[in-house]
Amino acid sequence: MLSVAGSVGLFLGAFKAQSRAIVPAMLIAAARAIAGAARGDDLVPSVLDRAVHTAVAQAVEAKAEELGLRQTLVVDDAWTRGKAEPLPFSR
């Protein structure tokens, strides 16, 4: 159930945090978010509930930030300077 309920939020949270990796602490944060979204006597929340995926993504993103896993992306603007080489398989 964690894989179905957590995978969307897990990958979205890691993507939004620009995380270099998915570590066990992020999986635990996802599991806690899923458990916190369960209502009443339900063991797990509905996997069709978008709020669950949003809660998981927010928890994973926050944990990645807390652990310092954000990756700084460097953009090479060779294309905008007109100095980029064509890809070898280009025609």
Side-chain angles (χ1 to χ4, degrees), residues 19-87:
S19 179
R20 297 184 306 252
I22 296 176
V23 297
M26 293 163 70
L27 297 173
I28 293 169
R32 288 185 175 149
I34 292 169
R39 297 181 184 138
D41 292 336
D42 294 340
L43 184 60
V44 292
S46 170
V47 297
L48 301 177
D49 186 357
R50 289 180 186 227
V52 175
H53 302 297
T54 301
V56 172
Q58 290 171 347
V60 169
E61 183 179 8
K63 183 56 74 172
E65 291 285 338
E66 177 186 324
L67 296 173
L69 293 175
R70 178 176 287 280
Q71 179 179 353
T72 303
L73 300 177
V74 177
V75 177
D76 178 14
D77 69 344
W79 286 104
T80 59
R81 293 182 311 216
K83 297 180 180 180
E85 294 292 322
L87 297 174

